[in-house]
């Protein structure tokens, strides 16, 4: 029953993240933590995130801004590996607390970034890739940070979804390789990640038809609600 619940939540998460550009890890992670525990859930989510981003690239591949992707990935990929290595040294309850607090903190930070309407350049993407890459290695999902960064660069709709996904793909691949190298990504865990990721991929293709219909205000409210709910859930898991 728990396995079926993971698939259902994964399908929902893949659909929503395919529309707004992020959110799959935020929604699916509490379910994976409950089902498998935080130490297994993190590498499972890393594999699933690779598949989710790959699906968004396939859905919008003609619109990828490869210059922006390269600038972000050049620093983000090694930083994600370093962050993943840091994560493996942390105790399980600390992982839950860190992720939960991070997600909750992203709500006011996202509003602060939205008020300061800055225009990002390629070097901003490179700096952002290093910082966000390291955080991605530790806290599972940094979509609330990468989303405004790519939006400030001037990307919208399909171009935004494709470029953010292509840039994130390298980070999650780096993270997954690091987990495998240090023994945290066993064949059993990889299989669980592939199953969860398949539901995310399917949801991403469902989402394509809804992308142009989503209003900006709905997007903002949706992301705030997702981050708050996921953060509170993870904190509850850590302290219960």
């Amino acid at each position: 029953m728990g396995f079926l619940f993971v698939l259902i939540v994964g399908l929902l998460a893949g659909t929503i993240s395919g529309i707004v550009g992020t959110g799959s890890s935020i929604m699916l992670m509490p379910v994976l933590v409950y089902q498998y525990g935080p130490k297994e859930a993190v590498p499972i989510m890393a594999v699933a995130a690779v598949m989710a981003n790959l699906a968004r690239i396939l859905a919008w591949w003609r619109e990828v801004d490869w210059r922006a992707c390269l600038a972000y990935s050049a620093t983000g990929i090694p930083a994600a590996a370093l962050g993943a290595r840091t994560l493996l040294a942390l105790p399980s309850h600390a992982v839950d607390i860190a992720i939960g607090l991070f997600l909750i903190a992203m709500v006011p930070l996202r509003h602060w970034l939205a008020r300061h309407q800055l225009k990002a350049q390629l070097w901003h993407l490179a700096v952002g890739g290093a910082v966000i890459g390291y955080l991605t290695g530790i806290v599972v999902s940094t979509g609330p940070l990468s989303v405004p960064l790519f939006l400030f660069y001037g990307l919208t709709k399909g171009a935004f979804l494709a470029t953010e996904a292509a840039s994130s793909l390298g980070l999650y691949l780096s993270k997954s390789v690091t987990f495998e190298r240090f023994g945290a990504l066993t064949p059993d865990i990889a299989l669980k990640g592939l199953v969860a990721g398949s539901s995310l991929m399917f949801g991403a293709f469902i989402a394509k038809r809804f992308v142009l219909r989503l209003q900006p205000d709905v997007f903002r409210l949706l992301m705030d609600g997702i981050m708050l709910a996921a953060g509170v859930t993870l904190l509850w898991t850590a302290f219960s």
Side-chain angles (χ1 to χ4, degrees), residues 103-122:
L103 293 177
I104 293 172
M106 284 303 96
V107 176
L109 180 57
R110 187 190 65 75
H111 285 277
W112 183 87
L113 289 171
R115 286 197 302 269
H116 295 73
Q117 297 187 7
L118 306 176
K119 179 65 176 178
Q121 306 295 326
L122 284 176

Side-chain angles (χ1 to χ4, degrees), residues 1 7 15 28 56 82 104 107 112 133 143 147 173 181 184 197 199 202 205 208 218 221 228 237:
M1 185 65 181
L7 289 176
T15 303
L28 189 55
R56 294 214 306 273
L82 180 60
I104 293 172
V107 176
W112 183 87
V147 164
L173 280 171
R181 180 181 178 186
S199 63
F202 191 69
F205 284 103
K208 186 174 181 179
V218 176
L221 288 174
L228 284 173
T237 301

Side-chain angles (χ1 to χ4, degrees), residues 32-106:
L32 295 177
V33 170
Y34 177 79
Q35 187 69 20
Y36 304 116
K39 282 297 184 181
E40 284 195 20
V42 173
I44 289 172
M45 191 65 245
V47 174
V50 168
M51 298 177 67
N53 283 297
L54 180 60
R56 294 214 306 273
I57 296 170
L58 293 174
W60 301 96
W61 68 274
R62 287 188 177 89
E63 301 193 48
V64 177
D65 185 324
W66 292 110
R67 291 180 65 214
C69 177
L70 179 61
Y72 184 85
S73 301
T75 55
I77 289 174
L82 180 60
R85 183 66 187 96
T86 303
L87 174 67
L88 294 176
L90 299 175
S92 296
H93 73 279
V95 175
D96 278 346
I97 294 172
I99 297 172
L101 291 176
F102 180 82
L103 293 177
I104 293 172
M106 284 303 96

